[in-house]
Amino acid sequence: MSFNINVGLLGHVDSGKTSLSKVLSQIASTAAFDKNPQSQTRGITLDLGFSAMTISAPNELKDKSNELIFTFVDCPGHNSLIRTIISGNLIIDLMILVVDIQKGFEAQTGECLILAEISKKPMIVVLNKIDMIDESKRTATIEKMTKKVSKTLETTSKCKTAKIIPISATNNINIDKLVDIMVEEVCKMNLCRNTDVPFIFAYDHCFKIKGSGTILSGTVLQGSIKINDTIEIPSMKIDRKIKSMQMFKKPVERAQAGDRLGICITNVDSKLLERGLICQKGCVEFTHATVIKLNKIKYFKREIKSKSKLHCSIGHHTVMCSIILFSSETATEFNYDSEYIYEDQFEEEEEEDARGNHKTYFALIEFEQPIIIYDDMLLIASKLDTEQTNVCRLAFYGNIFLKNSSTDKNNHETFLQKLKIFKQKSREGIVQRFVNNYEVIVVNLFKKETDRSRFEGMKCQLSTGELGIVMSFGQSSKVKVIFTSPLQNSTIDSIKNSKTDIKASLSFKKFIFDKTHRMVQ
């Protein structure tokens, strides 16, 4: 029995990730070590590469397995390939952040660190290429860069305890020590593979083998699977039976969450499948819109505004989306029963308000193309079309839940109608005439074309403090304001003698998705 750990190798381009995966690995998949012709031509990693190493399980893990399989996920480092890096995050249990010791933290190193932070995955920092430094300066350089990296990690909440190790992937320096640290991290992780849930599998490569069928290579995200089980291909809306399975070229009868797997099915055109999810029937959904609790990434320095367009990455897919922001001072998790205030943009809060409350921000996200999701998937919103360099492009993140999502492409008529998001509106007019101690006439509170009957019964406050009720008056834009208590003598005197203008203010909530344009106070 073996236990699989998926280790992501992330970092800036040319930091040595692929060289490290080569020296660590005993077996390679068809997609490992930049075998893609384009990768070889350009000299950089363009897609996720997979390879593996098997070791005996330490005593602490003998109850789970006799051996550990480390599957290495070699991620691209070029800034244009951040979508692929984000998609690799879906399947990773442990991250190795590779830093070129001669260059230190670079733009994509920072974005990879952010991914480790928001995905809450344990991380090891590798200072690579120490062989490139003259031996007389090596120790001092390692100490200096270790301190510098430690200082950066201290600014994080999840990665500040990450171990830092200097290595040379090309000269095999400290590789055994790195493996020991990986094993230590696995022992601390207390990984528990949940097999008592529906099977979901993320495939990242697809190809055809003549005489056998179509092979889907990927990682089991949850549940378990065995030969002859029937799976659903949601993107094609078809079911297929599993013909055979392999783990790194070894046939297997069964696989479970965490395993790197090749699944063979028949009667499917491999050209129609690139990457995505297959699953037990009915456990994923196509969603057109969703609501998430918004967690802003502090290194993103641009404004996050309602009605703006961003790139949203969920699993292996990145699509354009538009967002609406809203907030609450009482609800810390989204529910359909609570009311929320519309926000034009995300505002950083420096401190609590007078009542000790913090605003919780939420985002309504509408996808330009439907996305396949299951519960508790991580969504990362980014601004990938920026022309600026050396800036963080990752804007915010949150977890998706089916109950807070819409499977209806006509969601404006269904899903959005359930959202109680309002804009705080106000109108102001002038008291024109005194009628009696309990009644005044107000002008300019509404335009002539406004249906004043919709505002009847709403509370209206004078600038002198009295609170009254709005009532329609005649055919003009004027309204009556009637009071339950008599007006103050000073107010009556000001109105009668036109000493100063007395203002009448009306505040109300307008629900932005309500078909009836409902307004309440």
Side-chain angles (χ1 to χ4, degrees):
M1 184 175 67
S2 60
F3 193 78
N4 191 75
I5 308 295
N6 295 291
V7 182
L9 279 69
L10 293 87
H12 196 84
V13 66
D14 284 335
S15 57
K17 300 181 296 298
T18 302
S19 297
L20 180 56
S21 66
K22 282 181 181 179
V23 75
L24 285 169
S25 301
Q26 299 162 344
I27 185 170
S29 73
T30 54
F33 312 145
D34 298 341
K35 288 182 181 177
N36 184 314
Q38 285 182 300
S39 292
Q40 294 180 13
T41 301
R42 294 181 61 184
I44 60 172
T45 301
L46 295 177
D47 203 353
L48 301 176
F50 297 88
S51 55
M53 171 182 69
T54 302
I55 63 172
S56 296
N59 291 332
E60 297 95 321
L61 299 176
K62 289 291 186 184
D63 60 326
K64 289 185 178 180
S65 173
N66 297 320
E67 62 179 17
L68 287 182
I69 300 176
F70 285 104
T71 296
F72 299 106
V73 186
D74 182 14
C75 297
H78 197 275
N79 68 331
S80 63
L81 302 170
I82 187 67
R83 303 176 198 207
T84 307
I85 301 170
I86 293 172
S87 75
N89 185 61
L90 174 71
I91 58 178
I92 290 170
D93 301 311
L94 169 66
M95 289 188 179
I96 295 179
L97 183 63
V98 184
V99 179
D100 184 334
I101 194 167
Q102 300 173 102
K103 298 177 181 178
F105 266 54
E106 300 173 87
Q108 274 58 67
T109 320
E111 289 185 330
C112 293
L113 177 60
I114 291 166
L115 283 175
E117 179 82 349
I118 66 180
S119 60
K120 302 174 184 176
K121 306 286 175 66
M123 185 180 75
I124 302 165
V125 179
V126 161
L127 302 180
N128 194 21
K129 302 187 182 182
I130 63 172
D131 59 298
M132 302 293 287
I133 301 168
D134 188 273
E135 283 195 39
S136 63
K137 300 178 181 178
R138 190 175 294 174
T139 301
T141 303
I142 290 171
E143 288 178 359
K144 183 180 178 181
M145 188 55 69
T146 300
K147 287 179 182 177
K148 197 171 182 179
V149 170
S150 295
K151 196 169 183 180
T152 300
L153 296 179
E154 284 172 7
T155 65
T156 70
S157 59
K158 306 294 181 186
C159 302
K160 58 179 65 178
T161 59
K163 291 188 176 178
I164 304 168
I165 175 172
I167 70 156
S168 168
T170 54
N171 285 8
N172 207 10
I173 300 173
N174 283 345
I175 298 302
D176 288 343
K177 187 176 179 182
L178 173 58
V179 173
D180 289 341
I181 292 173
M182 288 162 51
V183 173
E184 286 176 21
E185 290 296 328
V186 173
C187 292
K188 289 191 296 185
M189 286 160 64
N190 193 27
L191 268 177
C192 182
R193 302 301 193 189
N194 193 350
T195 58
D196 297 327
V197 292
F199 169 76
I200 300 178
F201 179 83
Y203 62 92
D204 41 66
H205 293 89
C206 184
F207 52 94
K208 189 170 185 177
I209 295 180
K210 192 173 182 179
S212 294
T214 295
I215 308 299
L216 298 172
S217 296
T219 304
V220 184
L221 299 178
Q222 64 174 51
S224 62
I225 194 73
K226 60 184 185 299
I227 292 174
N228 291 325
D229 280 355
T230 298
I231 51 92
E232 178 184 12
I233 306 175
S235 61
M236 300 178 71
K237 298 180 179 178
I238 59 173
D239 299 340
R240 288 292 182 269
K241 188 172 284 190
I242 293 178
K243 181 181 177 183
S244 62
M245 301 188 299
Q246 287 189 359
M247 287 186 195
F248 289 105
K249 302 177 184 178
K250 291 183 179 179
V252 293
E253 296 287 323
R254 184 181 180 278
Q256 66 177 23
D259 288 341
R260 179 73 190 170
L261 191 65
I263 293 177
C264 181
I265 55 178
T266 56
N267 299 319
V268 175
D269 185 352
S270 61
K271 294 177 182 177
L272 300 178
L273 297 169
E274 184 178 1
R275 56 186 57 191
L277 299 177
I278 61 174
C279 60
Q280 182 178 316
K281 190 173 180 65
C283 65
V284 302
E285 297 281 1
F286 279 93
T287 186
H288 296 262
T290 191
V291 169
I292 66 164
K293 182 178 178 178
L294 187 154
N295 300 279
K296 184 181 180 294
I297 294 168
K298 64 181 179 180
Y299 305 103
F300 185 76
K301 299 306 179 185
R302 299 180 64 170
E303 293 178 330
I304 301 175
K305 294 184 174 182
S306 280
K307 301 181 181 177
S308 60
K309 288 189 178 292
L310 293 167
H311 296 84
C312 275
S313 300
I314 305 166
H316 283 316
H317 293 286
T318 296
V319 299
M320 290 300 296
C321 65
S322 58
I323 65 171
I324 295 289
L325 304 178
F326 54 99
S327 71
S328 173
E329 291 183 353
T330 55
T332 56
E333 299 295 336
F334 175 76
N335 65 82
Y336 291 102
D337 295 327
S338 296
E339 293 184 355
Y340 302 89
I341 187 165
Y342 174 92
E343 298 282 357
D344 287 312
Q345 67 180 52
F346 183 95
E347 299 285 355
E348 298 281 2
E349 284 190 289
E350 296 298 327
E351 54 188 29
E352 296 177 341
D353 64 20
R355 293 171 293 173
N357 291 332
H358 271 301
K359 268 186 186 179
T360 300
Y361 277 84
F362 302 88
L364 163 64
I365 300 174
E366 295 184 83
F367 305 108
E368 290 191 357
Q369 301 168 28
I371 285 276
I372 298 176
I373 68 165
Y374 59 91
D375 268 340
D376 213 17
M377 288 188 84
L378 180 66
L379 177 151
I380 300 175
S382 314
K383 189 69 176 173
L384 301 182
D385 51 2
T386 178
E387 294 181 1
Q388 293 176 283
T389 57
N390 295 323
V391 296
C392 175
R393 294 168 292 172
L394 310 181
F396 64 84
Y397 64 96
N399 291 81
I400 288 183
F401 294 93
L402 291 169
K403 66 179 181 179
N404 299 335
S405 305
S406 171
T407 58
D408 187 352
K409 65 180 179 180
N410 192 27
N411 59 77
H412 279 262
E413 299 297 319
T414 53
F415 177 65
L416 300 192
Q417 297 294 318
K418 298 191 292 183
L419 307 182
K420 299 176 182 177
I421 304 172
F422 65 88
K423 289 184 178 181
Q424 193 69 54
K425 298 282 190 177
S426 62
R427 293 174 181 263
E428 191 173 85
I430 301 293
V431 176
Q432 182 194 54
R433 180 161 57 89
F434 172 79
V435 178
N436 57 51
N437 289 359
Y438 293 88
E439 185 179 327
V440 297
I441 303 298
V442 174
V443 294
N444 301 329
L445 193 60
F446 305 107
K447 295 177 181 178
K448 285 186 178 181
E449 61 271 21
T450 301
D451 181 3
R452 290 166 296 149
S453 64
R454 297 179 59 211
F455 297 89
E456 283 193 6
M458 285 192 178
K459 295 174 183 177
C460 178
Q461 188 165 29
L462 301 186
S463 54
T464 49
E466 293 92 337
L467 194 64
I469 302 297
V470 173
M471 301 295 291
S472 293
F473 177 71
Q475 299 298 312
S476 68
S477 62
K478 299 177 183 178
V479 291
K480 292 179 187 176
V481 177
I482 297 174
F483 304 90
T484 54
S485 300
L487 295 170
Q488 301 174 75
N489 291 332
S490 58
T491 302
I492 296 170
D493 183 51
S494 292
I495 298 170
K496 285 183 175 180
N497 298 308
S498 302
K499 288 182 177 179
T500 56
D501 284 341
I502 295 177
K503 296 176 181 178
S505 301
L506 178 68
S507 296
F508 56 93
K509 301 174 183 177
K510 185 174 183 180
F511 289 85
I512 63 174
F513 295 124
D514 194 290
K515 281 184 179 180
T516 64
H517 307 291
R518 182 167 60 101
M519 296 177 293
V520 298
Q521 287 184 307

